Amino acid sequence: MIVLGAGPAGLVLANLLLDQGIDCVVLERADRAHIESRARAGFLAAATVRILERHGLAAGLRLRGKVHGTCEFRTEEARFRLDYSTLGSGDTHVVYPQQELVRDLLERFLSAGGQIRFGVEATEVRDADGDRPAVHVREPDGRTARWQGRYVAGCDGRHGAARRSLPSGSAVRRHIDHRVSWLGLLAEAPPSLDAVGYAVHGRGFAGHMARTDTVTRYYLQVARGTPADSWSDERIWDELDLRMGAKEHGPLTRGRIVERAVVDLESDVLDPLRHGRLLLAGDAGALISPSAAKGANLAVLEAELLGRALGDALLRGTEEGLDAYSARCLAHVWRAQEFSRWMIELLHAPSDWHGLPVGTRDPDTPCGAAGESLFLDALRRSRLASLAVSRRQQDWFAERYVGL
Ligand code: RFL
């Protein structure tokens, strides 16, 4: 059994296979230090924590993760909080940086005797229709090689070899560019509020998400095509202050910006997630925009479904689980996509008016694209107003926000 990629999907799956006594090797393009320091997700849903606990993979996050159950919305006029731990299903998140989860999963896999090859890049998966699919790779020294197994799990992310190797016409691709871009930032600064902060502002979205006691993730909606290094640290903090309403609601604790990257929000789902003996999990098969923090959670869920299905196929000789795998995953994926899109529409200024000073919105010329932008802005503010007061809306939100 060959697993491509040592992200959350690949490492959860590899651990589950090993636990069942299934021989597997993980092929990872990057080196160990890289995957153990790659900061991405942080919010793990209750269902994800339960999966990890079920398989003895949650010791680290139970020790160092922080339970989190509140988010705060801010506009130019007001702010309100939702304590989602008391709404909907009453579930919470555990905040645990993705790189720490990856470190835990890797350590557990290696200490149980798992095999992983770092610096090995899969270039193509061949013969997925046959009994022995083959993975062609480039070794760290540049030489090419071939690995064969009974199944290949493509957990190598959206730019990986698994997705590229699907024969043309074998899957429907549903893709959307949400036409919103974020400047994603990691600041060496303690969180400034004890909640996830979402600022819905005329100049664009700003977000605040705790990571650890000393590191905070911030997001700023920026115009498409903005180079990541075009904003100075000072301009970033000034803009965050403005959009988050620091003057009215309290200052943000500033610190060095240690990482910055522009993310164009996109979603990209393949259907089905299986082609013969090649199975896709995580971002490789279903990319979701980070607007609702679902990607790593879906990756873990899919890995569990796949681990179980592969166990049935390899140990008990039944492919029923593998046959149902794609449809089962996609049901979860589309629920998450729907909510993530809802969040995008709630949080962001329409893309074509981003950056316009609020004062240039002239009520005498609300026609064409400008009129549409004003209309969409009014809709999202109305949506936010309902969320602020309607208990039913809040229950619905909480269930979707923390659920899978
Ligand atoms: P990963 O984590 O991308 O891992 C794929 C692994 O495959 C390797 N690889 C290859 N190996 C061999 N051969 C090849 N040809 C290969 N090509 C790639 C890569 O080196 C890598 O190690 O995919 P996986 O496992 O599917 O996990 C998905 C998650 O990483 C992703 O969905 C989340 O990070 C998304 N996400 C968030 N998700 C959440 O659930 N909660 C969050 O709070 C959250 N915040 C975020 C996020 C994603 C972000 N970015 C990247 C846009 C915040 C950000 C900024």
Side-chain angles (χ1 to χ4, degrees):
M1 174 75 224
I2 302 171
V3 177
L4 303 183
L11 287 174
V12 169
L13 176 63
N15 274 295
L16 267 50
L17 293 172
L18 204 60
D19 284 352
Q20 297 175 81
I22 295 169
D23 188 26
C24 74
V25 61
V26 179
L27 305 179
E28 166 58 51
R29 181 180 59 185
D31 61 30
R32 182 170 180 174
H34 180 77
I35 66 161
E36 288 187 334
S37 59
R38 192 168 43 195
R40 284 179 154 187
F43 276 71
L44 299 177
T48 307
V49 174
R50 284 195 286 270
I51 292 173
L52 295 169
E53 269 173 347
R54 216 167 16 247
H55 302 287
L57 301 171
L61 74 88
R62 274 289 169 231
L63 213 62
R64 295 183 296 277
K66 294 226 161 53
V67 175
H68 200 100
T70 315
C71 58
E72 179 170 311
F73 292 90
R74 295 180 175 186
T75 66
E76 295 90 331
E77 291 84 32
R79 66 171 165 173
F80 66 91
R81 281 190 164 213
L82 294 182
D83 178 2
Y84 55 86
S85 65
T86 63
L87 296 163
S89 52
D91 278 332
T92 51
H93 285 112
V94 171
V95 181
Y96 194 58
Q98 180 168 322
Q99 66 273 26
E100 293 198 27
L101 177 66
V102 162
R103 212 175 297 151
D104 296 348
L105 293 169
L106 183 60
E107 215 168 280
R108 159 86 196 283
F109 181 64
L110 291 173
S111 64
Q115 236 200 103
I116 180 162
R117 297 283 312 276
F118 290 106
V120 173
E121 180 180 8
T123 51
E124 195 184 357
V125 181
R126 287 199 200 153
D127 306 325
D129 289 323
D131 289 343
R132 302 281 297 172
V135 179
H136 291 247
V137 303
R138 196 174 300 116
E139 299 275 350
D141 61 7
R143 278 186 300 178
T144 55
R146 198 171 79 120
W147 291 74
Q148 269 191 306
R150 287 182 61 192
Y151 293 92
V152 175
C155 306
D156 49 350
R158 72 169 304 201
H159 300 297
R163 152 183 281 258
R164 277 200 314 271
S165 302
L166 293 176
S168 87
S170 64
V172 176
R173 181 177 172 210
R174 296 184 173 91
H175 171 264
I176 188 167
D177 176 346
H178 298 287
R179 294 198 292 149
V180 165
S181 299
W182 283 357
L183 180 57
L185 305 155
L186 269 186
E188 247 172 23
S192 297
L193 51 159
D194 58 349
V196 178
Y198 296 112
V200 173
H201 194 279
R203 291 170 67 91
F205 163 70
H208 160 285
M209 281 120 211
R211 281 295 185 262
T212 65
D213 290 342
T214 53
V215 174
T216 308
R217 202 179 249 303
Y218 285 96
Y219 294 112
L220 277 174
Q221 183 184 0
V222 292
R224 182 60 59 93
T226 303
D229 54 6
S230 62
W231 287 46
S232 67
D233 282 20
E234 198 185 354
R235 183 173 171 209
I236 286 169
W237 285 113
D238 288 349
E239 191 68 22
L240 284 168
D241 273 352
L242 184 69
R243 296 189 194 177
M244 301 280 309
K247 246 192 222 148
E248 300 80 10
H249 308 306
L252 302 177
T253 310
R254 295 190 174 198
R256 203 161 61 90
I257 307 285
V258 288
E259 209 178 289
R260 57 175 77 202
V262 171
V263 186
D264 295 334
L265 270 54
E266 284 179 85
S267 294
D268 198 328
V269 181
L270 297 178
D271 182 358
L273 299 172
R274 175 185 185 188
H275 180 73
R277 288 179 175 249
L278 171 61
L279 296 120
L280 305 184
D283 283 5
L287 179 79
I288 185 163
S289 91
S291 56
K294 299 287 186 199
N297 292 284
L298 284 170
V300 170
L301 174 74
E302 291 168 29
E304 187 189 45
L305 293 173
L306 186 52
R308 212 181 286 154
L310 283 167
D312 285 344
L314 289 163
L315 303 174
R316 292 171 279 281
T318 167
E319 285 217 349
E320 268 170 37
L322 287 178
D323 291 342
Y325 168 70
S326 183
R328 290 189 68 188
C329 287
L330 290 174
H332 294 283
V333 165
W334 284 114
R335 256 173 82 89
Q337 292 282 359
E338 190 272 324
F339 182 68
S340 155
R341 176 74 191 181
W342 186 92
M343 284 290 276
I344 288 172
E345 288 170 356
L346 177 76
L347 298 176
H348 297 94
S351 52
D352 56 346
W353 85 344
H354 172 70
L356 280 187
V358 173
T360 64
R361 283 186 264 146
D362 178 355
D364 287 338
T365 57
C367 54
E372 191 174 306
S373 291
L374 289 172
F375 188 91
L376 292 174
D377 184 52
L379 284 188
R380 74 192 178 112
R381 285 172 191 276
S382 169
R383 182 180 279 185
L384 198 61
S386 300
L387 190 60
V389 297
S390 160
R391 172 67 198 237
R392 282 196 183 159
Q393 281 263 358
Q394 293 171 359
D395 284 331
W396 175 88
F397 171 84
E399 201 179 305
R400 292 300 178 94
Y401 187 59
V402 77
L404 267 183

